[in-house]
């Protein structure tokens, strides 16, 4: 398929991607835990308490650190991240009832 140098370079880069993904998973887990704590404190939490201004603000700030992705792509990513966090928090709250 590829020459050996290219194959080795792809393997090295994939190892680095895997390491980044591990860190990402840990950060996503940490974020979901913090977001769940916020839900428990908000007068109206979970999906009913979604706050578009807060979400736009955090995407804007993140975009400063991720110029390659930019605000529009980050907004799509963070929408999924926030939805997943709210879903996990809702499930946990429902189990506790
Ligand atoms: O900051 C809040 O008010 C939250 O509920 C947390 C969070 C988030 O996951 O960052 C979740 C839902 C809101 O739409 C905004 C932000």
């Amino acid at each position: 398929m590829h020459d050996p140098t290219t194959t080795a370079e792809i393997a090295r880069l994939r190892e680095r991607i895997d390491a980044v993904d591990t860190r990402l998973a840990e950060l996503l887990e940490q974020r979901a835990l913090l977001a769940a704590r916020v839900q428990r404190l908000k007068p109206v939490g979970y999906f009913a308490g979604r706050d578009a201004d807060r979400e736009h603000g955090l995407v804007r700030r993140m975009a400063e650190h991720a110029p390659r992705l930019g605000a529009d792509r980050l907004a799509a990513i963070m929408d999924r991240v926030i939805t997943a966090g709210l879903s996990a928090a809702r499930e946990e709250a429902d189990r506790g009832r």
Side-chain angles (χ1 to χ4, degrees), residues 9-21:
E9 178 68 358
I10 289 173
R12 267 196 300 277
L13 290 169
R14 282 180 173 166
E15 266 178 36
R16 291 177 62 187
I17 288 173
D18 289 348
V20 169
D21 287 347

Side-chain angles (χ1 to χ4, degrees), residues 16-92:
R16 291 177 62 187
I17 288 173
D18 289 348
V20 169
D21 287 347
T22 299
R23 282 164 53 204
L24 257 181
E26 289 166 357
L27 289 171
L28 287 170
E29 182 70 8
Q30 192 182 331
R31 190 190 195 289
L33 284 167
L34 293 168
R37 287 174 65 180
V38 173
Q39 305 322 308
R40 292 196 288 271
L41 295 171
K42 276 167 84 162
V44 180
Y46 306 95
F47 288 99
R50 257 185 116 144
D51 180 340
D53 284 347
R54 168 74 187 153
E55 294 188 23
H56 289 143
L58 69 85
V59 165
R60 231 186 1 260
R61 278 191 301 282
M62 288 175 76
E64 289 171 21
H65 301 279
R68 172 176 290 269
L69 290 174
D72 288 352
R73 290 187 192 88
L74 272 176
I77 292 168
M78 291 313 293
D79 179 58
R80 298 300 291 265
V81 167
I82 289 168
T83 299
L86 290 174
S87 160
R90 181 74 269 173
E91 224 173 79
E92 186 182 47

